[in-house]
Amino acid sequence: IAYFILVLIGVGSACLHATLHWVYQSSDELPMVYLITTYIYIFLELESPPKPKRINNRGHDDDDDDDGSGSGGVHKKLSTSSRYPNLSLHLSLLMVVNTIIYYKFQNLYWVFLLTFGLGLTSYVTMVGRMFYKGSTMTKKPHFEKSDCAIGRELF
């Protein structure tokens, strides 16, 4: 998804600079907020260890037992669930509201700027913490030897 959004930014930016029309300005600016939001979601999911969830032999959570004891059935497997199960929904709703405000209420452009600024600040803070203070990520990203940042290896 992030790469698709990055392509949208490129197309929107090219159209904006070719025409200087406000519609193409939105095609340039809104995907930038979407991309930052996507990266924030990725970082939060990478940084959060999943909560283990025990599954009984009927395929239900332990809490779904008939007698309420939490011990019904043999536990066959351990499933994982996200630490933030509704994060994608909340971030998607934020982006929908931001898009509606951007198009419907153009005099409230400061809402877009505030969302973009807060998102960018959050993203930079997460990346800075990951690189300079050590990461607590449970799933380490895989980087090739050729992946470099300003002439230095990432890890």
Side-chain angles (χ1 to χ4, degrees), residues 7-122:
V7 168
L8 285 178
I9 292 172
V11 171
S13 183
C15 292
L16 168 66
H17 291 95
T19 64
L20 295 178
H21 195 269
W22 77 270
V23 172
Y24 297 117
Q25 180 179 354
S26 66
S27 300
D28 183 37
E29 292 176 344
L30 285 174
M32 289 181 193
V33 175
Y34 303 156
L35 185 65
I36 289 172
T37 305
T38 303
Y39 283 147
I40 288 172
Y41 174 77
I42 290 169
F43 271 103
L44 287 175
E45 283 298 313
L46 284 175
E47 292 258 328
S48 66
K51 294 187 300 186
K53 181 166 78 171
R54 292 201 176 270
I55 305 296
N56 62 24
N57 62 352
R58 293 178 298 226
H60 300 290
D61 295 355
D62 280 344
D63 300 333
D64 293 343
D65 296 329
D66 297 327
D67 60 356
S69 65
S71 61
V74 177
H75 301 301
K76 288 188 172 182
K77 60 184 175 181
L78 190 64
S79 175
T80 58
S81 62
S82 173
R83 183 173 179 182
Y84 306 107
N86 295 326
L87 181 63
S88 59
L89 174 67
H90 291 137
L91 290 176
S92 298
L93 287 175
L94 175 67
M95 291 304 96
V96 166
V97 168
N98 195 14
T99 303
I100 291 170
I101 289 173
Y102 187 90
Y103 282 116
K104 205 81 158 135
F105 308 105
Q106 293 178 3
N107 58 336
L108 296 178
Y109 188 72
W110 64 269
V111 173
F112 168 78
L113 292 176
L114 180 69
T115 307
F116 182 76
L118 289 175
L120 188 60
T121 303
S122 300

